[in-house]
Amino acid sequence: MLQLEHFSNGWVTPVLAYAMSFIGSVLGLRCAVRARTASPAYGWLVAAAIALGGAGIWVMHFTAMLGFAVDGTSIRYDMPMTLLSAVIAVVVVLIGLVIVVRGQREAVALPLGGAITGLGVVAMHYLGMAAMSTGVDMEYSTGLVLLSIAIAVVAATAALWFMLHVQGWGNTVGAALIMGVAVCGMHYTGMASMSAHHGENHALPEGVAPVELLTPLLTTVALVVVGLVVLVGVAELEVRSVAAAGPTPESGKSGTLLTTDPATLAHSGRQWPRMSTHD
């Protein structure tokens, strides 16, 4: 039995992994808020899926894997499988969001969307592990694998519930903190299920070294996160400008709207994005 090290770089990788999960969750939640009131909503749903599935889940997974090491071996990654795992993470989150945001009955849509998304996240995780080449044989503990699946489904269902109901920034941050813990918990539970030993055919690992992926990964993540921050920021400013444009039935004594929440604006006839009017 070979020794596995999940924190070979100390606490740097788990802290960074949690930070990425938190950032992705915050951006995903804010995009979901827009998706609940926008028409059409699919652009915001895609943005939410990229934020949560891409940054919040897949990037968290890969960042945490930078701290993974197997005693006496080097680690390489199969690029096509690694990229496929990223696509799966985004697609399954998008499917879950479409089901719950556009569904008519939350009692049915939420468990269905949570199950699909959770199982998809599990598939992403173990496909990402299969993309890793170490030259040794890997085995998984059935009990811990099943526990990681349960955590993923529960976490995905909770995340989709937050997507439906969280509105204010304070609630968004609180929900994102919880979602980050859930995503990281699922990842490290799945990692704990692993064991490794030398097989009969001890071949040298093939693929790309993790350090070679750092530059393109950091560049891509930075561009995506900055793009989403700009997108969400512009939307927030637009909503605030619409709210300040004139009085509504929910306005205060000063004649300005007391809330900038998109759900409230939708009920008042004001929603983002604004549609152009024609005389």
Side-chain angles (χ1 to χ4, degrees):
M1 188 75 67
L2 296 173
Q3 181 179 356
L4 303 183
E5 178 60 66
H6 300 290
F7 307 102
S8 61
N9 297 318
W11 288 99
V12 174
T13 47
V15 169
L16 287 177
Y18 179 80
M20 285 308 309
S21 185
F22 171 75
I23 292 171
S25 297
V26 168
L27 292 173
L29 287 168
R30 296 317 295 174
C31 290
V33 169
R34 308 297 160 216
R36 297 203 300 262
T37 56
S39 180
Y42 293 104
W44 282 113
L45 290 176
V46 171
I50 293 173
L52 181 58
I57 296 176
W58 185 82
V59 175
M60 175 272 144
H61 163 83
F62 192 84
T63 303
M65 289 305 300
L66 293 176
F68 178 72
V70 181
D71 185 38
T73 68
S74 58
I75 296 176
R76 297 291 186 272
Y77 285 93
D78 180 287
M79 280 304 298
M81 291 181 66
T82 300
L83 293 176
L84 178 60
S85 69
V87 172
I88 289 175
V90 174
V91 170
V92 296
V93 171
L94 178 59
I95 292 173
L97 282 170
V98 170
I99 290 174
V100 300
V101 172
R102 312 311 292 181
Q104 299 299 318
R105 298 180 60 188
E106 181 180 337
V108 175
L110 187 58
L112 176 62
I116 292 174
T117 303
L119 293 175
V121 170
V122 170
M124 176 280 300
H125 173 82
Y126 288 105
L127 179 62
M129 297 306 301
M132 185 176 61
S133 175
T134 60
V136 300
D137 291 339
M138 293 286 188
E139 295 180 353
Y140 293 90
S141 167
T142 302
L144 287 175
V145 169
L146 292 176
L147 178 60
S148 70
I149 294 174
I151 292 174
V153 172
V154 172
T157 304
L160 293 176
W161 186 91
F162 286 138
M163 294 285 190
L164 283 177
H165 297 284
V166 169
Q167 296 180 359
W169 269 98
N171 292 333
T172 297
V173 171
L177 290 171
I178 297 172
M179 290 165 66
V181 172
V183 172
C184 291
M186 177 270 157
H187 172 84
Y188 284 107
T189 300
M191 294 300 297
S193 71
M194 296 179 60
S195 61
H197 58 85
H198 288 298
E200 296 181 358
N201 298 320
H202 181 62
L204 293 176
E206 299 179 355
V208 181
V211 69
E212 296 177 31
L213 297 175
L214 277 179
T215 299
L217 176 67
L218 291 175
T219 302
T220 303
V221 170
L223 290 174
V224 170
V225 170
V226 169
L228 288 170
V229 168
V230 171
L231 179 66
V232 171
V234 169
E236 297 286 344
L237 291 175
E238 181 74 6
V239 168
R240 291 179 183 276
S241 66
V242 172
T248 68
E250 297 187 22
S251 61
K253 295 180 181 180
S254 62
T256 59
L257 194 65
L258 295 178
T259 178
T260 59
D261 185 79
T264 302
L265 292 175
H267 292 305
S268 67
R270 301 174 182 273
Q271 63 179 16
W272 200 96
R274 291 186 294 176
M275 304 299 292
S276 59
T277 57
H278 301 279
D279 296 331

